[in-house]
Amino acid sequence: MATNKARRVTMSDVARHAGVSRTTVSFVLNERADAAIPEDTQARIRASIEELGYRPNAGARALAAKRSEWYGLITEIVTAPFAVDVIKGAQDRAWADGKFLLITAGDNDPAMEAAAFDKLLEQRAEGLLYATTWHRAVTLPPAAREVPVVLVNCFDADGALPSVVPDEVAGGYTATRRLIDAGHRRIGFINLDTGIPAAVGRLKGYEQALREAGADIDDTLVVSGHATADGGYAAACELLDRADPGHRPTALFCGNDRTAMGAYDAIKERGLRIPDDIAVIGFDNQELIAAYLRPGLTTVALPFEAMGAKGVDMLGALTAGQPLTTTQVTVDCPLIERSSV
Amino acid sequence: MATNKARRVTMSDVARHAGVSRTTVSFVLNERADAAIPEDTQARIRASIEELGYRPNAGARALAAKRSEWYGLITEIVTAPFAVDVIKGAQDRAWADGKFLLITAGDNDPAMEAAAFDKLLEQRAEGLLYATTWHRAVTLPPAAREVPVVLVNCFDADGALPSVVPDEVAGGYTATRRLIDAGHRRIGFINLDTGIPAAVGRLKGYEQALREAGADIDDTLVVSGHATADGGYAAACELLDRADPGHRPTALFCGNDRTAMGAYDAIKERGLRIPDDIAVIGFDNQELIAAYLRPGLTTVALPFEAMGAKGVDMLGALTAGQPLTTTQVTVDCPLIERSSV
DNA sequence: ACATCGAACTAACGCGCGTTACTAAAGCGC
DNA sequence: GCGCTTTAGTAACGCGCGTTAGTTCGATGT
């Protein structure tokens, strides 16, 4: 007696059970309006489906219909705190469109990354999302040209591929403006490593807000540190210990939440209180830091989830053959109020 | 002129180009040892594949071979800091086995969860991984019975399904033992909400380590708080302010890193220094907290990545028809040394 | 009474591939 | 020269489904 491995029920089984042809079942499943199937026949078929526990085979369906119903997502590291939000945004939106998301990691290794592209193309993904941990320029492997691709949180060097990135300038403006609105005029800025889009954009927004408020821009208030807690600590020390106390900044705009974490320590160490003596605002809204710092860190969020969702939207348009109006879409960075301002 | 949408190259195209039959190409691709194809023919075929840029169609292959080559993973929330590590562990292992991982989220909603199961079964996933954010008992939708399932970080109420969970008792023992080894005898334990497996197990390990060291177990040193920074702060205050200073615990074992974060504040507020005046050990190894607290938090890691990998291993065995020796596998929680002990 | 027409289906092809059963030709012993 | 084995392939079926081009049958118009 051969063990026949519980063959799954197919559409033909349903057709036989309902006493119709397989074609009719297919029409009902795909709700084809042209082939008018009367209500009672449809009901009979649906009953058979229910009774037999039939599940359409997505693979076979994709093969016959020549569309795969799934997108691929390539991130550097699946576990990166940000990648995760991109995944969620993309996942939710894709799910809503009835698409599946195949998630792979490049592991920051060109070979792995190329393998990921290959695998996704073998799965016949209709389109690909390529997301990075931090905002920067990238170049993709050649395989990326075989299918629609949207870049998330990055952009390609020659600007040919569509991308969706955070609006760094507006974010820097938002943060600074929040401090200005709270009455601050001398605002220290602990910037990230110079040159990267985040540092360039946020500085631009910072200066723009100050200029708009009529506050003069004091270069000595801007220091660039490493984007770590220690870097933030060192930079904050430099800003706080400098010159006479009356000239000290009354607020700090930190390039990211990790530097803010270090800044907190420097501030507390000097017996100063947040936000009474000195206000602090961060960037990134890294939940585990910002929400659990005491007091809670007011910060500007990077819209990873929104970018993931937007990326899927763009993919949807691309695969539908609609031309995109803009190749680069920017997404706003919302202010997250807590208690440090 | 019909726009023929750049038809992808198929195996037949390769066969024609190489001057052989499609079957031969298939044999070469699947490296079938029985059908001996001479080396030069193989080379010719491989050259054609390269030249034409042929990519096998994974869907068609799955259909013909009746095995899908992919597993499904269902988590509560994709973005949960822990889910992410499970994903990574599972992903890496699956990838190494040549399997794809389809990742879905139940969003803590039974309807969504059932939909996720349905979708994964429609994709003909060979097996399913079901992972939770925190260690607990679960009950799965009926669809889960149609395919091999392995539970990760949870177990089903009737104990029928295979599962992989952290060894909470050993973890509690490890943490406490570390403090004992550092010379501590009065060790406060800020436990999690009572009743959950993590709280029960870790307490057991805590008591076991103390008993083994000949230290007596003082119930007043164990307080249960909410698993938050504020809860940890409150619990630490209670332990630190209680009784005469000489009777104060010299070390705190915190039920998780978030409570440790609160405990840090309580300790610093009292002018005490970590680890000189009081040692602290956490649980979970939540990177963003543990690594960036000052001083870095020594903690016990929940082995999410290892559990994800182990889960895939078990799925592999199950789908291969091998019976599992144990339904419940426990994974060790390793000690992560930083500077708080 | 007969042609016409829409409603309600169905037969048959093909999607890209794995696999089984078969064949043609070459080598080999006698 | 004949049977036998090995080598090197190939033809053909089917996986589960979408889709196109019909077909059948009763109702309608004249």
Short mmCIF file of all heavy atoms in Angstrom, two decimals, chain B residues 25-86:
data_model
loop_
_atom_site.label_atom_id
_atom_site.label_comp_id
_atom_site.label_asym_id
_atom_site.label_seq_id
_atom_site.Cartn_x
_atom_site.Cartn_y
_atom_site.Cartn_z
N VAL B 25 18.53 19.56 -20.44
CA VAL B 25 18.81 20.77 -19.67
C VAL B 25 18.35 20.57 -18.23
O VAL B 25 19.06 20.90 -17.28
CB VAL B 25 18.10 21.98 -20.29
CG1 VAL B 25 18.36 23.22 -19.45
CG2 VAL B 25 18.57 22.20 -21.72
N SER B 26 17.18 20.02 -18.09
CA SER B 26 16.64 19.78 -16.75
C SER B 26 17.57 18.89 -15.95
O SER B 26 17.85 19.14 -14.78
CB SER B 26 15.26 19.15 -16.85
OG SER B 26 14.76 18.83 -15.58
N PHE B 27 18.05 17.84 -16.58
CA PHE B 27 18.97 16.91 -15.90
C PHE B 27 20.23 17.64 -15.44
O PHE B 27 20.69 17.45 -14.32
CB PHE B 27 19.35 15.77 -16.84
CG PHE B 27 18.27 14.74 -17.00
CD1 PHE B 27 18.35 13.77 -17.99
CD2 PHE B 27 17.17 14.74 -16.15
CE1 PHE B 27 17.36 12.81 -18.12
CE2 PHE B 27 16.16 13.78 -16.29
CZ PHE B 27 16.26 12.82 -17.27
N VAL B 28 20.75 18.47 -16.28
CA VAL B 28 21.95 19.20 -15.91
C VAL B 28 21.68 20.13 -14.73
O VAL B 28 22.42 20.19 -13.76
CB VAL B 28 22.49 20.01 -17.10
CG1 VAL B 28 23.60 20.96 -16.65
CG2 VAL B 28 22.99 19.06 -18.18
N LEU B 29 20.56 20.84 -14.83
CA LEU B 29 20.23 21.78 -13.76
C LEU B 29 20.04 21.07 -12.42
O LEU B 29 20.43 21.59 -11.38
CB LEU B 29 18.96 22.56 -14.09
CG LEU B 29 19.21 23.99 -14.54
CD1 LEU B 29 19.73 24.01 -15.95
CD2 LEU B 29 17.95 24.81 -14.40
N ASN B 30 19.45 19.93 -12.45
CA ASN B 30 19.20 19.21 -11.20
C ASN B 30 20.31 18.25 -10.83
O ASN B 30 20.18 17.47 -9.90
CB ASN B 30 17.86 18.48 -11.28
CG ASN B 30 16.72 19.45 -11.43
OD1 ASN B 30 16.79 20.58 -10.96
ND2 ASN B 30 15.67 19.03 -12.11
N GLU B 31 21.37 18.30 -11.62
CA GLU B 31 22.55 17.48 -11.34
C GLU B 31 22.17 16.04 -11.05
O GLU B 31 22.54 15.46 -10.03
CB GLU B 31 23.32 18.07 -10.16
CG GLU B 31 23.96 19.39 -10.52
CD GLU B 31 24.57 20.07 -9.29
OE1 GLU B 31 24.27 19.62 -8.17
OE2 GLU B 31 25.32 21.05 -9.47
N ARG B 32 21.41 15.48 -11.95
CA ARG B 32 20.98 14.11 -11.74
C ARG B 32 22.08 13.14 -12.13
O ARG B 32 22.53 13.09 -13.28
CB ARG B 32 19.71 13.84 -12.54
CG ARG B 32 18.55 14.59 -11.93
CD ARG B 32 17.24 14.13 -12.43
NE ARG B 32 17.19 12.69 -12.62
CZ ARG B 32 16.07 12.00 -12.59
NH1 ARG B 32 14.94 12.62 -12.32
NH2 ARG B 32 16.07 10.72 -12.82
N ALA B 33 22.52 12.40 -11.18
CA ALA B 33 23.66 11.51 -11.38
C ALA B 33 23.29 10.31 -12.25
O ALA B 33 24.12 9.79 -13.00
CB ALA B 33 24.19 11.04 -10.04
N ASP B 34 22.03 9.87 -12.18
CA ASP B 34 21.63 8.67 -12.93
C ASP B 34 21.76 8.87 -14.43
O ASP B 34 22.26 8.01 -15.15
CB ASP B 34 20.22 8.23 -12.53
CG ASP B 34 19.24 9.40 -12.55
OD1 ASP B 34 19.70 10.54 -12.48
OD2 ASP B 34 18.03 9.15 -12.62
N ALA B 35 21.27 10.01 -14.92
CA ALA B 35 21.39 10.27 -16.36
C ALA B 35 22.76 10.88 -16.64
O ALA B 35 22.95 12.08 -16.42
CB ALA B 35 20.29 11.21 -16.81
N ALA B 36 23.69 10.07 -17.07
CA ALA B 36 25.06 10.53 -17.24
C ALA B 36 25.19 11.43 -18.47
O ALA B 36 25.19 10.95 -19.59
CB ALA B 36 25.99 9.34 -17.36
N ILE B 37 25.30 12.73 -18.23
CA ILE B 37 25.50 13.67 -19.33
C ILE B 37 26.98 14.01 -19.36
O ILE B 37 27.54 14.42 -18.36
CB ILE B 37 24.69 14.96 -19.11
CG1 ILE B 37 23.27 14.65 -18.68
CG2 ILE B 37 24.72 15.84 -20.34
CD1 ILE B 37 22.37 14.13 -19.74
N PRO B 38 27.62 13.82 -20.50
CA PRO B 38 29.07 14.08 -20.59
C PRO B 38 29.42 15.54 -20.30
O PRO B 38 28.61 16.44 -20.53
CB PRO B 38 29.42 13.70 -22.03
CG PRO B 38 28.12 13.65 -22.77
CD PRO B 38 27.07 13.35 -21.78
N GLU B 39 30.60 15.72 -19.83
CA GLU B 39 31.04 17.03 -19.35
C GLU B 39 30.92 18.11 -20.42
O GLU B 39 30.52 19.24 -20.12
CB GLU B 39 32.50 16.90 -18.88
CG GLU B 39 32.93 17.97 -17.90
CD GLU B 39 31.84 18.29 -16.88
OE1 GLU B 39 31.49 17.43 -16.04
OE2 GLU B 39 31.30 19.41 -16.93
N ASP B 40 31.25 17.77 -21.66
CA ASP B 40 31.24 18.82 -22.69
C ASP B 40 29.81 19.28 -23.00
O ASP B 40 29.56 20.46 -23.24
CB ASP B 40 31.97 18.35 -23.96
CG ASP B 40 31.35 17.08 -24.52
OD1 ASP B 40 30.69 16.36 -23.74
OD2 ASP B 40 31.53 16.81 -25.71
N THR B 41 28.86 18.34 -22.98
CA THR B 41 27.47 18.74 -23.19
C THR B 41 27.01 19.65 -22.06
O THR B 41 26.37 20.67 -22.27
CB THR B 41 26.56 17.50 -23.23
OG1 THR B 41 27.06 16.58 -24.19
CG2 THR B 41 25.15 17.90 -23.60
N GLN B 42 27.36 19.25 -20.85
CA GLN B 42 26.99 20.07 -19.70
C GLN B 42 27.55 21.48 -19.84
O GLN B 42 26.86 22.47 -19.60
CB GLN B 42 27.54 19.45 -18.41
CG GLN B 42 26.89 18.12 -18.06
CD GLN B 42 27.07 17.77 -16.59
OE1 GLN B 42 27.19 18.65 -15.75
NE2 GLN B 42 27.08 16.47 -16.30
N ALA B 43 28.80 21.55 -20.25
CA ALA B 43 29.44 22.85 -20.39
C ALA B 43 28.71 23.69 -21.43
O ALA B 43 28.46 24.87 -21.24
CB ALA B 43 30.90 22.66 -20.79
N ARG B 44 28.33 23.03 -22.53
CA ARG B 44 27.64 23.74 -23.59
C ARG B 44 26.32 24.30 -23.07
O ARG B 44 25.95 25.45 -23.32
CB ARG B 44 27.38 22.75 -24.74
CG ARG B 44 26.93 23.37 -26.03
CD ARG B 44 27.33 22.49 -27.21
NE ARG B 44 27.24 21.05 -26.92
CZ ARG B 44 26.15 20.31 -27.15
NH1 ARG B 44 25.09 20.85 -27.69
NH2 ARG B 44 26.15 19.02 -26.88
N ILE B 45 25.62 23.48 -22.32
CA ILE B 45 24.33 23.92 -21.76
C ILE B 45 24.53 25.08 -20.79
O ILE B 45 23.81 26.08 -20.82
CB ILE B 45 23.63 22.74 -21.07
CG1 ILE B 45 23.19 21.73 -22.14
CG2 ILE B 45 22.45 23.22 -20.25
CD1 ILE B 45 22.58 20.48 -21.57
N ARG B 46 25.52 24.94 -19.93
CA ARG B 46 25.77 26.00 -18.96
C ARG B 46 26.13 27.31 -19.66
O ARG B 46 25.75 28.39 -19.22
CB ARG B 46 26.87 25.58 -18.00
CG ARG B 46 26.33 24.80 -16.80
CD ARG B 46 27.42 24.59 -15.76
NE ARG B 46 27.77 23.17 -15.63
CZ ARG B 46 27.05 22.30 -14.93
NH1 ARG B 46 25.96 22.70 -14.31
NH2 ARG B 46 27.42 21.04 -14.86
N ALA B 47 26.84 27.18 -20.76
CA ALA B 47 27.21 28.37 -21.52
C ALA B 47 25.95 29.05 -22.07
O ALA B 47 25.80 30.27 -22.02
CB ALA B 47 28.16 28.01 -22.65
N SER B 48 25.04 28.23 -22.57
CA SER B 48 23.80 28.78 -23.11
C SER B 48 23.00 29.48 -22.02
O SER B 48 22.43 30.55 -22.23
CB SER B 48 22.95 27.66 -23.72
OG SER B 48 23.63 27.09 -24.82
N ILE B 49 22.97 28.85 -20.85
CA ILE B 49 22.25 29.44 -19.72
C ILE B 49 22.80 30.82 -19.41
O ILE B 49 22.07 31.79 -19.27
CB ILE B 49 22.37 28.53 -18.47
CG1 ILE B 49 21.52 27.28 -18.66
CG2 ILE B 49 21.96 29.29 -17.22
CD1 ILE B 49 21.62 26.29 -17.52
N GLU B 50 24.12 30.86 -19.36
CA GLU B 50 24.80 32.11 -19.07
C GLU B 50 24.47 33.15 -20.13
O GLU B 50 24.05 34.26 -19.84
CB GLU B 50 26.31 31.84 -19.04
CG GLU B 50 27.13 33.00 -18.53
CD GLU B 50 26.93 33.18 -17.03
OE1 GLU B 50 26.50 32.20 -16.36
OE2 GLU B 50 27.19 34.28 -16.54
N GLU B 51 24.64 32.73 -21.38
CA GLU B 51 24.50 33.67 -22.49
C GLU B 51 23.08 34.24 -22.59
O GLU B 51 22.88 35.41 -22.86
CB GLU B 51 24.88 32.97 -23.79
CG GLU B 51 24.95 33.91 -24.98
CD GLU B 51 25.50 33.19 -26.20
OE1 GLU B 51 26.17 32.14 -26.04
OE2 GLU B 51 25.24 33.67 -27.31
N LEU B 52 22.11 33.37 -22.37
CA LEU B 52 20.72 33.82 -22.50
C LEU B 52 20.21 34.48 -21.23
O LEU B 52 19.14 35.07 -21.21
CB LEU B 52 19.82 32.63 -22.85
CG LEU B 52 20.13 31.92 -24.17
CD1 LEU B 52 19.16 30.76 -24.38
CD2 LEU B 52 20.02 32.90 -25.32
N GLY B 53 20.97 34.35 -20.15
CA GLY B 53 20.50 34.91 -18.88
C GLY B 53 19.29 34.18 -18.35
O GLY B 53 18.36 34.78 -17.81
N TYR B 54 19.32 32.88 -18.49
CA TYR B 54 18.19 32.07 -18.04
C TYR B 54 18.12 31.98 -16.52
O TYR B 54 19.11 31.81 -15.85
CB TYR B 54 18.29 30.66 -18.62
CG TYR B 54 17.36 29.67 -17.98
CD1 TYR B 54 15.99 29.73 -18.20
CD2 TYR B 54 17.85 28.69 -17.13
CE1 TYR B 54 15.13 28.82 -17.59
CE2 TYR B 54 17.00 27.78 -16.52
CZ TYR B 54 15.64 27.85 -16.76
OH TYR B 54 14.80 26.96 -16.16
N ARG B 55 16.91 32.13 -15.98
CA ARG B 55 16.67 31.92 -14.55
C ARG B 55 15.54 30.93 -14.41
O ARG B 55 14.46 31.15 -14.93
CB ARG B 55 16.23 33.20 -13.87
CG ARG B 55 17.28 34.23 -13.79
CD ARG B 55 16.76 35.49 -13.10
NE ARG B 55 17.69 36.58 -13.29
CZ ARG B 55 18.83 36.67 -12.62
NH1 ARG B 55 19.15 35.76 -11.74
NH2 ARG B 55 19.64 37.68 -12.84
N PRO B 56 15.78 29.84 -13.69
CA PRO B 56 14.68 28.89 -13.48
C PRO B 56 13.49 29.57 -12.82
O PRO B 56 13.65 30.50 -12.03
CB PRO B 56 15.29 27.83 -12.56
CG PRO B 56 16.58 28.38 -12.08
CD PRO B 56 17.01 29.43 -13.06
N ASN B 57 12.31 29.12 -13.15
CA ASN B 57 11.11 29.67 -12.56
C ASN B 57 10.74 28.82 -11.34
O ASN B 57 10.28 27.69 -11.46
CB ASN B 57 9.99 29.63 -13.59
CG ASN B 57 8.69 30.19 -13.06
OD1 ASN B 57 8.37 30.01 -11.90
ND2 ASN B 57 7.96 30.88 -13.91
N ALA B 58 10.96 29.41 -10.16
CA ALA B 58 10.79 28.66 -8.93
C ALA B 58 9.36 28.13 -8.78
O ALA B 58 9.15 27.04 -8.27
CB ALA B 58 11.16 29.52 -7.73
N GLY B 59 8.41 28.91 -9.24
CA GLY B 59 7.01 28.50 -9.11
C GLY B 59 6.71 27.27 -9.94
O GLY B 59 6.13 26.30 -9.45
N ALA B 60 7.12 27.31 -11.19
CA ALA B 60 6.88 26.17 -12.07
C ALA B 60 7.59 24.94 -11.55
O ALA B 60 7.06 23.82 -11.57
CB ALA B 60 7.37 26.50 -13.47
N ARG B 61 8.77 25.15 -11.05
CA ARG B 61 9.56 24.06 -10.50
C ARG B 61 8.83 23.43 -9.30
O ARG B 61 8.74 22.21 -9.19
CB ARG B 61 10.91 24.62 -10.08
CG ARG B 61 11.77 23.65 -9.31
CD ARG B 61 13.04 24.35 -8.87
NE ARG B 61 13.90 24.59 -10.00
CZ ARG B 61 15.20 24.29 -10.01
NH1 ARG B 61 15.75 23.74 -8.94
NH2 ARG B 61 15.94 24.53 -11.06
N ALA B 62 8.32 24.29 -8.45
CA ALA B 62 7.60 23.79 -7.27
C ALA B 62 6.37 23.00 -7.71
O ALA B 62 6.05 21.96 -7.14
CB ALA B 62 7.19 24.95 -6.38
N LEU B 63 5.70 23.51 -8.73
CA LEU B 63 4.48 22.85 -9.20
C LEU B 63 4.79 21.45 -9.72
O LEU B 63 4.14 20.47 -9.35
CB LEU B 63 3.85 23.69 -10.31
CG LEU B 63 2.53 23.18 -10.88
CD1 LEU B 63 1.49 23.08 -9.77
CD2 LEU B 63 2.04 24.10 -11.98
N ALA B 64 5.80 21.38 -10.54
CA ALA B 64 6.14 20.09 -11.14
C ALA B 64 6.71 19.12 -10.10
O ALA B 64 6.40 17.94 -10.10
CB ALA B 64 7.14 20.29 -12.27
N ALA B 65 7.54 19.65 -9.22
CA ALA B 65 8.22 18.77 -8.27
C ALA B 65 7.36 18.48 -7.04
O ALA B 65 7.69 17.63 -6.24
CB ALA B 65 9.54 19.39 -7.85
N LYS B 66 6.28 19.22 -6.89
CA LYS B 66 5.40 19.06 -5.74
C LYS B 66 6.08 19.31 -4.40
O LYS B 66 5.77 18.67 -3.42
CB LYS B 66 4.78 17.66 -5.73
CG LYS B 66 3.91 17.39 -6.95
CD LYS B 66 3.19 16.08 -6.79
CE LYS B 66 2.87 15.52 -8.16
NZ LYS B 66 2.34 14.16 -8.10
N ARG B 67 7.08 20.17 -4.42
CA ARG B 67 7.59 20.65 -3.14
C ARG B 67 7.91 22.12 -3.33
O ARG B 67 8.46 22.54 -4.35
CB ARG B 67 8.83 19.91 -2.66
CG ARG B 67 9.51 19.19 -3.73
CD ARG B 67 10.69 18.40 -3.41
NE ARG B 67 11.41 18.32 -4.68
CZ ARG B 67 12.24 19.24 -5.10
NH1 ARG B 67 12.52 20.26 -4.34
NH2 ARG B 67 12.82 19.15 -6.28
N SER B 68 7.57 22.90 -2.33
CA SER B 68 7.54 24.33 -2.58
C SER B 68 8.86 25.03 -2.29
O SER B 68 9.09 26.13 -2.75
CB SER B 68 6.46 24.98 -1.73
OG SER B 68 6.81 24.92 -0.37
N GLU B 69 9.71 24.44 -1.48
CA GLU B 69 10.99 25.08 -1.18
C GLU B 69 10.83 26.30 -0.28
O GLU B 69 11.73 27.10 -0.19
CB GLU B 69 11.68 25.55 -2.46
CG GLU B 69 11.86 24.47 -3.48
CD GLU B 69 13.19 23.76 -3.35
OE1 GLU B 69 14.21 24.40 -3.58
OE2 GLU B 69 13.19 22.58 -2.98
N TRP B 70 9.67 26.47 0.34
CA TRP B 70 9.63 27.59 1.28
C TRP B 70 8.81 27.29 2.52
O TRP B 70 7.89 26.48 2.55
CB TRP B 70 9.18 28.90 0.62
CG TRP B 70 7.95 28.84 -0.22
CD1 TRP B 70 6.67 28.58 0.21
CD2 TRP B 70 7.85 29.09 -1.62
NE1 TRP B 70 5.81 28.66 -0.83
CE2 TRP B 70 6.50 28.97 -1.97
CE3 TRP B 70 8.79 29.43 -2.61
CZ2 TRP B 70 6.05 29.16 -3.28
CZ3 TRP B 70 8.33 29.60 -3.89
CH2 TRP B 70 6.98 29.47 -4.22
N TYR B 71 9.25 27.95 3.57
CA TYR B 71 8.59 27.85 4.86
C TYR B 71 7.85 29.14 5.16
O TYR B 71 8.20 30.19 4.62
CB TYR B 71 9.63 27.63 5.98
CG TYR B 71 10.39 26.34 5.91
CD1 TYR B 71 11.74 26.30 6.22
CD2 TYR B 71 9.76 25.14 5.57
CE1 TYR B 71 12.46 25.12 6.18
CE2 TYR B 71 10.47 23.95 5.52
CZ TYR B 71 11.82 23.94 5.82
OH TYR B 71 12.53 22.78 5.78
N GLY B 72 6.87 29.07 6.01
CA GLY B 72 6.18 30.28 6.44
C GLY B 72 6.54 30.61 7.87
O GLY B 72 6.80 29.72 8.67
N LEU B 73 6.58 31.90 8.17
CA LEU B 73 6.84 32.32 9.55
C LEU B 73 5.74 33.30 9.95
O LEU B 73 5.51 34.29 9.26
CB LEU B 73 8.20 33.00 9.66
CG LEU B 73 8.51 33.71 10.97
CD1 LEU B 73 8.43 32.76 12.15
CD2 LEU B 73 9.88 34.35 10.92
N ILE B 74 5.09 33.01 11.04
CA ILE B 74 4.05 33.91 11.53
C ILE B 74 4.48 34.48 12.87
O ILE B 74 4.76 33.73 13.80
CB ILE B 74 2.71 33.18 11.70
CG1 ILE B 74 2.27 32.60 10.36
CG2 ILE B 74 1.65 34.09 12.28
CD1 ILE B 74 0.98 31.84 10.44
N THR B 75 4.57 35.79 12.94
CA THR B 75 4.89 36.43 14.22
C THR B 75 3.73 37.33 14.60
O THR B 75 2.86 37.61 13.80
CB THR B 75 6.16 37.29 14.13
OG1 THR B 75 5.89 38.40 13.26
CG2 THR B 75 7.32 36.50 13.60
N GLU B 76 3.75 37.77 15.84
CA GLU B 76 2.68 38.66 16.27
C GLU B 76 2.85 40.02 15.62
O GLU B 76 1.95 40.58 15.03
CB GLU B 76 2.70 38.80 17.79
CG GLU B 76 2.46 37.47 18.47
CD GLU B 76 2.69 37.55 19.95
OE1 GLU B 76 3.86 37.72 20.36
OE2 GLU B 76 1.71 37.45 20.69
N ILE B 77 4.05 40.54 15.78
CA ILE B 77 4.35 41.86 15.23
C ILE B 77 5.72 41.78 14.61
O ILE B 77 6.68 41.42 15.28
CB ILE B 77 4.39 42.92 16.35
CG1 ILE B 77 3.16 42.75 17.25
CG2 ILE B 77 4.48 44.30 15.79
CD1 ILE B 77 3.18 43.62 18.48
N VAL B 78 5.79 42.09 13.33
CA VAL B 78 7.09 41.98 12.67
C VAL B 78 8.12 42.88 13.32
O VAL B 78 9.30 42.56 13.36
CB VAL B 78 6.99 42.39 11.18
CG1 VAL B 78 8.11 41.75 10.40
CG2 VAL B 78 5.67 41.98 10.61
N THR B 79 7.68 44.00 13.81
CA THR B 79 8.63 45.00 14.30
C THR B 79 9.07 44.77 15.73
O THR B 79 9.92 45.49 16.22
CB THR B 79 8.01 46.40 14.22
OG1 THR B 79 6.75 46.36 14.88
CG2 THR B 79 7.83 46.80 12.80
N ALA B 80 8.46 43.83 16.43
CA ALA B 80 8.87 43.60 17.80
C ALA B 80 10.36 43.30 17.82
O ALA B 80 10.85 42.52 17.01
CB ALA B 80 8.08 42.46 18.40
N PRO B 81 11.07 43.93 18.74
CA PRO B 81 12.52 43.79 18.76
C PRO B 81 12.97 42.34 18.80
O PRO B 81 14.03 42.00 18.31
CB PRO B 81 12.94 44.53 20.03
CG PRO B 81 11.69 44.92 20.73
CD PRO B 81 10.59 44.86 19.75
N PHE B 82 12.18 41.47 19.36
CA PHE B 82 12.57 40.08 19.46
C PHE B 82 12.21 39.30 18.21
O PHE B 82 12.97 38.47 17.72
CB PHE B 82 11.91 39.44 20.67
CG PHE B 82 12.33 40.08 21.95
CD1 PHE B 82 11.47 40.14 23.03
CD2 PHE B 82 13.60 40.63 22.08
CE1 PHE B 82 11.87 40.74 24.21
CE2 PHE B 82 14.00 41.22 23.27
CZ PHE B 82 13.14 41.28 24.35
N ALA B 83 11.04 39.59 17.68
CA ALA B 83 10.57 38.89 16.49
C ALA B 83 11.66 38.96 15.42
O ALA B 83 11.94 37.99 14.72
CB ALA B 83 9.30 39.54 15.97
N VAL B 84 12.26 40.12 15.39
CA VAL B 84 13.30 40.39 14.42
C VAL B 84 14.46 39.41 14.50
O VAL B 84 14.99 38.96 13.50
CB VAL B 84 13.76 41.83 14.70
CG1 VAL B 84 15.13 42.05 14.17
CG2 VAL B 84 12.76 42.79 14.11
N ASP B 85 14.84 39.06 15.70
CA ASP B 85 15.95 38.12 15.85
C ASP B 85 15.52 36.72 15.47
O ASP B 85 16.30 35.96 14.91
CB ASP B 85 16.46 38.16 17.29
CG ASP B 85 17.11 39.49 17.61
OD1 ASP B 85 17.94 39.95 16.81
OD2 ASP B 85 16.78 40.09 18.66
N VAL B 86 14.29 36.39 15.78
CA VAL B 86 13.77 35.09 15.36
C VAL B 86 13.81 35.04 13.84
O VAL B 86 14.26 34.06 13.23
CB VAL B 86 12.33 34.88 15.84
CG1 VAL B 86 11.76 33.60 15.24
CG2 VAL B 86 12.29 34.81 17.36
#
